[in-house]
C-alpha cells in the first residue's frame, strides 16, 4: 500500500517494509496480559457492586416494609456529603474500568473494518458493523445506563425536611439521611447492564484483540504486524499532512494543535461552553426566582446569601436561598395510589428528572475523554524526542526552555495502561471532575422528603460551586484542544498511520531484559545535494533503540524519509571519511 507519486525504497530497505513481508522483520509487540487481567477484575468488581445494591435494597424492604421511607442514618451535613462524594468516586472508577473494555473492543473492531485512524475513539458515538457489543443500539443502551447510574447515585441519600419528625424528634441539630432502596435498585440495574456489555465484549474479543494496551506505540506495532504498512519519505510530516503526498519538509519548533487534526472538536468546545452558559443562567435565574417567590409577610425577609446550606426562616416556612420543585403530592388531584406506591413512583420520577439534568453533562464528559486520551497519546509519543544540546545551523529558532529541560528517557514499548493513566495529570483531572461534577450537580438539586412528597431544593450557593467546576472544565478542554506541543518532533495525536510512517526502527531488546525503548531525532543526510557536503543534504529523521544513534534536529534543513538509512549510513559515511583522511595523511607523509 504505497501512496501515488512516492519513491520506492532501496533494495535493502524493501525487505524491511515490503507489503506482506515487513511483519517478519518487526519485533514482537506487548499483548498486555496484565491489562487484560485487570479488565477481568473490573468486571468482577462491577458484578460485586451490582449484587451489593440489590442486597441492600432487598434488606431495606424486608426490614422496614413499604410503609417506611428507607433506612435512617443520623449524620452531620458534612458527613452525608462526604459519603455521597465517596460513592461517586467509587462508581466512576468502576465505570472507567468497564468502559476501557468497551473502548478496546471498538478499537480492534474498527481496525478489522479498515476504519481505524486514531488510537482513541468516541466509543458511545462510534459504531462497528462486525462487533455486536459495539453496534449503535448497544452504544445507546450503554449511554443510557451510564446516565442512569449517575442519576441514581444522586438519589441514594435523601435528606429530611427540618419540619419532619423522626421518632417524635424535630430535625434541628442534626440531619437525617434516608437510604433510598428504589435508587439502589435502579443503580444496580444500570451497573448490571453495563457489566453485561463489558462481559460481552470480553467474550467476543478476548482472543481477537491482538493487545489490550492503550499505548499508541504498542497498538501501532500490533497493527503493523497485520495490515498497516510503513510509508517512506514522510519522516517530518505530521498527522495534519496525512493527505499530502510525500515531500521534503523543514522542521517546525511548534506543532499544530489537536483541533487541527480533528476539526470536529470545535463542536465539543461549543457544547462545553454552552453547558457553562446554561449553568450561569441557572445560577442567576435561581437568585431571581427565590426572591420573587418569597412571601411579603415572612418572618425573615429575602436577602442574598452564598451559603452552602439551605437557609430557613424562623418558622421553617420556606427557604431563603433555595427554589423548591416538588413531585406530585399524595392524595392530590385524581391520584389513586396508596401511600407507599405513590412514594415509590415519586422515587422513580425523581430519578428520571435527574436523568434529564445529568444527560447533557454525562455526554459532554464522555466527549472530553477523546481530547484527554489523544493528548495522552501525543505525550507518550513525544517522550522519544531528544533535547537539543547543540545547534547544527545558526538560523535555528530558539526552542522553549521547558523543552530543553524536560527529561527524555525514550518510549518504553511495554508501557502499562494502568501506569500510563495513573501518571497522566490530564486524565486524573478528568477522573476527578467526573465524580465532582456529578456529585455537585446532585447537591445543587438536593432531593428532600417533605410531608409525603419529594422536593428538590435548588440552592444557588451550591449552583455557584457547580458553575465554577464547569468553568474550570471548559477552560481545560479549550486548552487541551488548542495546545501546541513544543519541539520539532511531528505531532501524531495517536494517528496510527502517522506513527507507522514516523517510526523507522522499532528498537531491540535491552541487554538487561528491560524491554525496548525508542528515541527520535536526526539520523544524518539521506540524499546529498550537488555534492556540497553532508551539512547541505536532505536529511532524515527517525527512531532508534539507543540515545546515541540519533542527534539534534537541524532547523532550516529539509527532511524526508528513507527507511532505516539514518544513523547506520551516517556511521558508515563517517568511517569512509576517516579512512580517506588517513589515506591522505599517509600519502603526504610518503
Amino acid at each position: 500500500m504505497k501512496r501515488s507519486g512516492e519513491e520506492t525504497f532501496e533494495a535493502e530497505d524493501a525487505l524491511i517494509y515490503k507489503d506482506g513481508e515487513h511483519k517478519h522483520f518487526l519485533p514482537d509487540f506487548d499483548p498486555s496480559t496484565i491489562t487484560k487481567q485487570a479488565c477481568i477484575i473490573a468486571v468482577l468488581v462491577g458484578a460485586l457492586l451490582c449484587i451489593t445494591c440489590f442486597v441492600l435494597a432487598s434488606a431495606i424492604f424486608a426490614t422496614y416494609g413499604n410503609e417506611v421511607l428507607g433506612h435512617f442514618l443520623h449524620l452531620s451535613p458534612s458527613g452525608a456529603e462526604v459519603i455521597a462524594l465517596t460513592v461517586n468516586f467509587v462508581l466512576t472508577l468502576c465505570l472507567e474500568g468497564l468502559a476501557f473494555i468497551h473502548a478496546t473492543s471498538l478499537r480492534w473492531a474498527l481496525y478489522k473494518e479498515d476504519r481505524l485512524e486514531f488510537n482513541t475513539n468516541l466509543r458511545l458515538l462510534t459504531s462497528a458493523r462486525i462487533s455486536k457489543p459495539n453496534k449503535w443500539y448497544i452504544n445507546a443502551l450503554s449511554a443510557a445506563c451510564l446516565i442512569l447510574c449517575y442519576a441514581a447515585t444522586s438519589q441514594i441519600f435523601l435528606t429530611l425536611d427540618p419540619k419532619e419528625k423522626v421518632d417524635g424528634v424535630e430535625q434541628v441539630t442534626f440531619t437525617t439521611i434516608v437510604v433510598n432502596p428504589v435508587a439502589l435498585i435502579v443503580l444496580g440495574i444500570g451497573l448490571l447492564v453495563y457489566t453485561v456489555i463489558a462481559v460481552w465484549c470480553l467474550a467476543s474479543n478476548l482472543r481477537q484483540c491482538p493487545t489490550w494496551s492503550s499505548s499508541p506505540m504498542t497498538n501501532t506495532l500490533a497493527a503493523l504486524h497485520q495490515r498497516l504498512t510503513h510509508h517512506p519519505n514522510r519522516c517530518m510530516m505530521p498527522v495534519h499532512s496525512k493527505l499530502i503526498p510525500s515531500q521534503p519538509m523543514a522542521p517546525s519548533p511548534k506543532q499544530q494543535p489537536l483541533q487541527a487534526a480533528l476539526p470536529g472538536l470545535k463542536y465539543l468546545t461549543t457544547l462545553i461552553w454552552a453547558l457553562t452558559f446554561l449553568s450561569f443562567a441557572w445560577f442567576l435565574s435561581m437568585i431571581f426566582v427565590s426572591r420573587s417567590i418569597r412571601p411579603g409577610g415572612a418572618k425573615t425577609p429575602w436577602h442574598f446569601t452564598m451559603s452552602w446550606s439551605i437557609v430557613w426562616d424562623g418558622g421553617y416556612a420556606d427557604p431563603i436561598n433555595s427554589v423548591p420543585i416538588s413531585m406530585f403530592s399524595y392524595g392530590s388531584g385524581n391520584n389513586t395510589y396508596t401511600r407507599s406506591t405513590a412514594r415509590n413512583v415519586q422515587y422513580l420520577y425523581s430519578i428520571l428528572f435527574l436523568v434529564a439534568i445529568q444527560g447533557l453533562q454525562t455526554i459532554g464528559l464522555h466527549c472530553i475523554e477523546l481530547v484527554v486520551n489523544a493528548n495522552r497519546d501525543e505525550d507518550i509519543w513525544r517522550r522519544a524526542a531528544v533535547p537539543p544540546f547543540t545547534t547544527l545551523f545558526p538560523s535555528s529558532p530558539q526552542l522553549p526552555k521547558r523543552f530543553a529541560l524536560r527529561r527524555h528517557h525514550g518510549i518504553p514499548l511495554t508501557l502499562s495502561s494502568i501506569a500510563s493513566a495513573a501518571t497522566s495529570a490530564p486524565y486524573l483531572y478528568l477522573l476527578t471532575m467526573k465524580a465532582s461534577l456529578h456529585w455537585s450537580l446532585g447537591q445543587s438539586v438536593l432531593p428532600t422528603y417533605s410531608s409525603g412528597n419529594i422536593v428538590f431544593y435548588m440552592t444557588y450557593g451550591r449552583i455557584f460551586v457547580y458553575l465554577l467546576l464547569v468553568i474550570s472544565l471548559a477552560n481545560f478542554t479549550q486548552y487541551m484542544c488548542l495546545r501546541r506541543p513544543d519541539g520539532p518532533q511531528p505531532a501524531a495525536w495517536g494517528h496510527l498511520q502517522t506513527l507507522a510512517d514516523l517510526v523507522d526502527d522499532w528498537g531491540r531488546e535491552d541487554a538487561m531484559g528491560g524491554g525496548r525503548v525508542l528515541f527520535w531525532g536526526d539520523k544524518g543526510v539521506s540524499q546529498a545535494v550537488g555534492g556540497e557536503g553532508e551539512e547541505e543534504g536532505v536529511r532524515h529523521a527517525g527512531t532508534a533503540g539507543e540515545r546515541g544513534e540519533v542527534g539534534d534536529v537541524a532547523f532550516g534543513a529539509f527532511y524526508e524519509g528513507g527507511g532505516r538509512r539514518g544513523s547506520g549510513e551516517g556511521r558508515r559515511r563517517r568511517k569512509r571519511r576517516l579512512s580517506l583522511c588517513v589515506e591522505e595523511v599517509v600519502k603526504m607523509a610518503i
Side-chain angles (χ1 to χ4, degrees):
M1 297 174 61
K2 292 185 178 182
R3 301 174 189 262
S4 60
E6 286 188 346
E7 300 176 1
T8 57
F9 285 115
E10 292 183 352
E12 62 181 21
D13 296 324
L15 294 177
I16 297 174
Y17 293 110
K18 185 177 179 181
D19 190 15
E21 295 182 11
H22 71 276
K23 62 182 179 182
H24 301 295
F25 296 88
L26 291 171
D28 294 333
F29 58 87
D30 179 23
S32 298
T33 306
I34 296 179
T35 303
K36 181 170 65 175
Q37 294 172 351
C39 291
I40 297 176
I41 294 176
V43 169
L44 295 177
V45 172
L48 180 62
L49 290 180
C50 292
I51 296 173
T52 302
C53 290
F54 291 136
V55 169
L56 289 177
S58 301
I60 292 174
F61 279 125
T63 303
Y64 300 102
N66 288 331
E67 295 301 323
V68 179
L69 297 176
H71 180 69
F72 293 103
L73 296 175
H74 297 292
L75 298 172
S76 64
S78 58
E81 292 160 2
V82 169
I83 291 177
L85 181 60
T86 303
V87 170
N88 273 276
F89 267 105
V90 172
L91 176 65
T92 301
L93 290 173
C94 178
L95 294 177
E96 285 293 301
L98 299 176
F100 180 86
I101 301 172
H102 196 226
T104 304
S105 172
L106 173 65
R107 179 186 298 120
W108 294 109
L110 293 176
Y111 180 76
K112 293 175 184 177
E113 298 176 3
D114 291 327
R115 297 169 53 208
L116 181 64
E117 292 190 47
F118 288 87
N119 185 54
T120 301
N121 303 275
L122 287 175
R123 59 182 182 84
L124 296 181
L125 302 179
T126 306
S127 62
R129 295 186 295 269
I130 64 174
S131 178
K132 292 183 179 179
N134 298 107
K135 288 187 175 294
W136 67 268
Y137 47 86
I138 300 298
N139 291 343
L141 180 61
S142 298
C145 291
L146 183 65
I147 298 172
L148 194 64
C149 286
Y150 283 115
T153 305
S154 302
Q155 281 277 301
I156 290 179
F157 302 106
L158 298 176
T159 59
L160 282 185
D161 191 300
K163 298 186 294 294
E164 295 289 328
K165 293 183 179 181
V166 179
D167 299 330
V169 180
E170 190 171 358
Q171 308 304 301
V172 178
T173 59
F174 59 87
T175 300
T176 300
I177 305 298
V178 180
V179 181
N180 184 352
V182 177
L184 286 173
I185 292 176
V186 173
L187 176 60
I189 293 174
L191 276 174
L192 176 62
V193 176
Y194 216 75
T195 304
V196 168
I197 293 175
V199 172
W200 193 4
C201 292
L202 280 174
S204 303
N205 303 292
L206 189 60
R207 296 183 178 180
Q208 296 180 7
C209 292
T211 175
W212 287 84
S213 174
S214 62
S215 170
M217 308 306 297
T218 302
N219 291 327
T220 300
L221 182 57
L224 281 169
H225 274 266
Q226 300 183 43
R227 295 191 302 272
L228 192 65
T229 58
H230 171 88
H231 296 148
N233 304 326
R234 303 184 67 84
C235 69
M236 199 58 72
M237 302 189 71
V239 61
H240 314 88
S241 304
K242 61 183 177 180
L243 301 180
I244 301 176
S246 300
Q247 56 184 276
M249 294 188 68
S252 173
K254 271 189 174 292
Q255 303 303 311
Q256 293 297 311
L258 175 61
Q259 190 164 314
L262 294 172
L265 289 181
K266 61 184 179 182
Y267 300 109
L268 170 60
T269 55
T270 301
L271 172 64
I272 300 303
W273 284 112
L275 180 61
T276 306
F277 173 78
L278 291 175
S279 302
F280 182 69
W282 185 24
F283 169 68
L284 291 181
S285 62
M286 290 301 101
I287 295 177
F288 292 119
V289 172
S290 65
R291 180 179 182 179
S292 62
I293 64 175
R294 187 70 179 165
K299 293 182 178 180
T300 305
W302 184 91
H303 60 276
F304 179 79
T305 174
M306 292 298 293
S307 172
W308 172 266
S309 303
I310 300 177
V311 178
W312 304 85
D313 64 6
Y316 295 115
D318 288 299
I320 295 175
N321 61 339
S322 299
V323 176
I325 298 179
S326 338
M327 308 300 291
F328 61 87
S329 300
Y330 167 73
S332 63
N334 297 322
N335 181 14
T336 58
Y337 297 119
T338 61
R339 184 176 182 83
S340 60
T341 304
R343 184 173 60 247
N344 292 334
V345 171
Q346 285 189 71
Y347 284 163
L348 290 175
Y349 280 9
S350 301
I351 293 174
L352 293 178
F353 174 69
L354 288 177
V355 163
I357 296 178
Q358 296 266 20
L360 181 62
Q361 172 181 273
T362 304
I363 296 301
L365 286 170
H366 169 66
C367 293
I368 296 175
E369 289 180 13
L370 173 66
V371 178
V372 170
N373 291 335
N375 274 270
R376 186 174 64 187
D377 292 343
E378 181 64 16
D379 290 339
I380 292 175
W381 160 239
R382 304 198 79 77
R383 294 185 190 181
V386 174
F389 295 111
T390 60
T391 303
L392 297 182
F393 288 88
S395 59
S396 299
Q398 293 293 326
L399 291 174
K401 185 177 180 180
R402 60 179 178 274
F403 178 80
L405 297 178
R406 190 180 303 157
R407 293 184 178 182
H408 299 259
H409 300 298
I411 312 173
L413 295 184
T414 57
L415 184 63
S416 168
S417 299
I418 300 176
S420 176
T423 55
S424 173
Y427 176 78
L428 294 177
Y429 171 83
L430 180 61
L431 187 69
T432 303
M433 290 301 292
K434 283 183 179 180
S436 301
L437 279 170
H438 289 297
W439 170 81
S440 180
L441 186 56
Q443 294 295 315
S444 300
V445 190
L446 189 65
T448 304
Y449 193 82
S450 177
S451 302
N453 190 29
I454 293 181
V455 180
F456 292 97
Y457 285 101
M458 298 185 180
T459 307
Y460 54 78
R462 301 187 178 205
I463 296 174
F464 180 73
V465 175
Y466 174 73
L467 173 62
L468 294 180
L469 292 176
V470 174
I471 292 175
S472 172
L473 181 67
N475 283 280
F476 167 78
T477 305
Q478 191 75 51
Y479 169 75
M480 299 299 282
C481 288
L482 300 179
R483 179 177 74 98
R484 299 185 62 185
D486 298 323
Q489 186 178 4
W493 297 111
H495 190 259
L496 299 186
Q497 183 61 69
T498 300
L499 289 172
D501 297 341
L502 295 174
V503 177
D504 63 342
D505 183 356
W506 286 94
R508 47 193 169 275
E509 292 292 339
D510 193 305
M512 303 299 294
R516 293 182 301 276
V517 178
L518 296 184
F519 296 90
W520 180 90
D522 183 276
K523 301 182 78 173
V525 173
S526 175
Q527 177 184 354
V529 179
E532 297 180 1
E534 183 174 340
E535 300 299 333
E536 301 298 330
V538 176
R539 308 183 68 83
H540 173 61
T543 54
E546 295 183 5
R547 166 66 180 84
E549 295 184 3
V550 292
D552 301 341
V553 171
F555 289 96
F558 282 94
Y559 280 80
E560 66 175 346
R564 294 190 179 220
R565 289 176 291 177
S567 58
E569 182 177 297
R571 286 193 297 269
R572 291 193 297 270
R573 184 165 50 250
R574 286 190 293 270
K575 289 180 180 179
R576 289 196 300 268
R577 183 179 300 171
L578 179 60
S579 64
L580 290 175
C581 291
V582 173
E583 291 177 2
E584 291 292 334
V585 171
V586 172
K587 289 179 181 179
M588 292 176 63
I590 295 175

